[in-house]
Amino acid sequence: MFLGKANNYNTYLSPVIVFSGVLENYGAGKRTVEINYDPERKMICKYVPGGGTFWRAGGEIVVSEEEAKERAVEFYKKFIGDEYNDHENDIISVRDYGDISKVFCYVDINTVYKGVVYSYDSTRVVYGMRYDRVRDYINHQGNYDIMSQITTLSPNPGVTIEEAKQILKDYSDVDIQDGYVRSPLRLVWELPFIKKDDNKMHYITIDAHTGEIIFYE
């Protein structure tokens, strides 16, 4: 859904959704915001600026990265309401995107269920450190009850990361980088690697319980 707004609240067109703690438009002209609403969970799961100008170039940093992280998490708590009881032990991290990360704090919140971190079941909150406001809110976390249906294997791998790397070495002549858990359906090791003959980044996914090669790119 897209909603347009002029500078005065009285000029809103119905239906009206008014947010607090988010970036207002800067200067004259129309702005648009993309908003996605989940009718089953009765929750807004996306708020992202579309067209228009939302912030000026330059200006001093008024909120530290740590403060921005804390305020982004508080914003997240308010948005998901009672569902936060299921997510209070989730993994919270701050992404570094170079110079833009000096202005905006990119906070990722990944679901944890029975010790397994779900990389793709996550929420991102982008907080403006010059403006002390949220810019983006994108919630890709599904219904927490589903986790009990898909997390059926042990969260403890039967294959260590070193054994996974050895499987990769036996499979192909490569330079190994590092590995991390990727899949929300199986416990896996995902290993990025560079092939000596093409010097390009590839990926192999190995089942962390059986050692089976699931995916090779």
Side-chain angles (χ1 to χ4, degrees), residues 19-34:
F19 289 85
S20 61
V22 295
L23 285 178
E24 292 287 335
N25 58 319
Y26 171 67
K30 180 181 179 181
R31 72 165 185 166
T32 58
V33 178
E34 181 181 354

Side-chain angles (χ1 to χ4, degrees), residues 139-179:
N139 188 327
H140 290 304
Q141 291 174 302
N143 190 320
Y144 197 74
D145 293 338
I146 295 176
M147 296 300 173
S148 63
Q149 301 173 36
I150 65 176
T151 308
T152 58
L153 300 175
S154 169
N156 301 312
V159 177
T160 68
I161 183 62
E162 294 304 321
E163 290 172 331
K165 290 181 179 180
Q166 187 59 50
I167 291 172
L168 173 56
K169 285 183 178 179
D170 295 341
Y171 186 79
S172 180
D173 183 20
V174 298
D175 292 327
I176 297 174
Q177 304 298 310
D178 198 0

